Amino acid sequence: MQTLVYENYSRFIDATDAIKSINVNVEANEEGLKKLTSSMNNVSEQSRSIEQALGTLRDQVADKIRIQRLLSRLDALLKLPVTLQTQIENGKYKSAAQSYRSTATILARHSEGFESLKSIETECSTILENLQKDLQSKLLHWSGRVTTVESFSYDDNDEAEEPNKTEDSPPVRPPKELSEVFECAGALYFLQDGDGEDLFSMAIAA
């Protein structure tokens, strides 16, 4: 028991010394902690001042970026007829159909009152109507459903009537490769609200 008492007393003395040491260290660093707190307050105040000073400039930059995006979209609209023609000439029929579909709503919404946009809308609509007729003719011929080129006539409501056979028309050239068949079918799928299964069956037959 005496040994246990001595051991516990020794531990108590060590703990007391440790507490005194911690107290001394804290008191010694108290001045440093005050300086650190003061420095952090200064940094916070400077950061707040910079935020207030740059807030207006940030809003101006955001406005310029928004205007730049609008101008880029407007530039794309102005170049849309040329873009469509280039894509069609390169055989990128699906890309042309997608490009038109992605901008048709915008043109329809904003073309009223803007003669230039109205002209672009009319030109693009004509390009895509001609493309649709051409692709329909090709796919019908390639699939074997018709043996001569057929011209598609449209009424005032833009609804396709029965194709009219033209025996003297030049024959449709065969597709250069398999991907051209599915390029035509894919473009028609975007351009018309028709039967997707029918387009697929024609593509398979072709």
Side-chain angles (χ1 to χ4, degrees):
M1 292 293 293
Q2 188 177 7
T3 301
L4 290 174
V5 169
Y6 284 148
E7 288 179 355
N8 288 333
Y9 182 74
S10 177
R11 292 173 183 171
F12 176 76
I13 295 299
D14 291 340
T16 303
D17 292 340
I19 292 173
K20 288 181 179 180
S21 176
I22 292 173
N23 186 43
V24 170
N25 291 333
V26 170
E27 290 178 352
N29 292 326
E30 185 175 358
E31 187 65 26
L33 291 173
K34 289 182 179 179
K35 290 181 180 180
L36 178 61
T37 302
S38 177
S39 298
M40 291 179 65
N41 290 334
N42 290 335
V43 170
S44 178
E45 186 64 28
Q46 291 178 2
S47 177
R48 190 180 300 107
S49 300
I50 293 173
E51 180 72 19
Q52 293 175 352
L54 295 180
T56 304
L57 295 177
R58 186 184 297 109
D59 293 339
Q60 293 177 359
V61 171
D63 288 339
K64 292 183 187 305
I65 292 175
R66 183 178 60 83
I67 293 173
Q68 184 182 23
R69 290 175 179 172
L70 291 175
L71 290 175
S72 297
R73 292 176 184 176
L74 179 59
D75 184 61
L77 285 178
L78 296 176
K79 294 178 180 178
L80 184 59
V82 176
T83 300
L84 295 178
Q85 289 285 15
T86 301
Q87 290 173 333
I88 293 172
E89 290 173 1
N90 293 331
K92 304 296 183 181
Y93 306 129
K94 286 191 295 184
S95 297
Q98 290 172 330
S99 297
Y100 176 73
R101 275 295 180 90
S102 64
T103 55
T105 305
I106 299 175
L107 285 172
R109 186 186 307 164
H110 300 289
S111 60
E112 292 297 331
F114 293 94
E115 189 62 31
S116 57
L117 292 181
K118 189 66 177 177
S119 176
I120 291 173
E121 181 184 21
T122 302
E123 186 177 357
C124 292
S125 178
T126 301
I127 292 173
L128 268 297
E129 285 178 3
N130 291 334
L131 174 63
Q132 183 173 343
K133 295 176 187 177
D134 182 56
L135 297 182
Q136 284 174 327
S137 178
K138 286 181 178 180
L139 206 55
L140 284 171
H141 188 84
W142 293 343
S143 64
R145 293 194 180 184
V146 295
T147 56
T148 58
V149 178
E150 299 177 351
S151 61
F152 290 80
S153 59
Y154 287 75
D155 57 19
D156 294 336
N157 296 324
D158 292 334
E159 295 180 354
E161 298 177 351
E162 291 297 324
N164 301 316
K165 291 185 177 181
T166 55
E167 300 291 346
D168 297 332
S169 300
V172 174
R173 65 164 181 79
K176 294 181 179 179
E177 51 189 24
L178 187 62
S179 60
E180 187 176 357
V181 175
F182 289 97
E183 186 75 28
C184 291
L188 283 174
Y189 182 81
F190 282 107
L191 290 174
Q192 65 184 20
D193 298 326
D195 186 2
E197 294 183 0
D198 188 49
L199 286 174
F200 181 75
S201 64
M202 282 198 294
I204 293 298

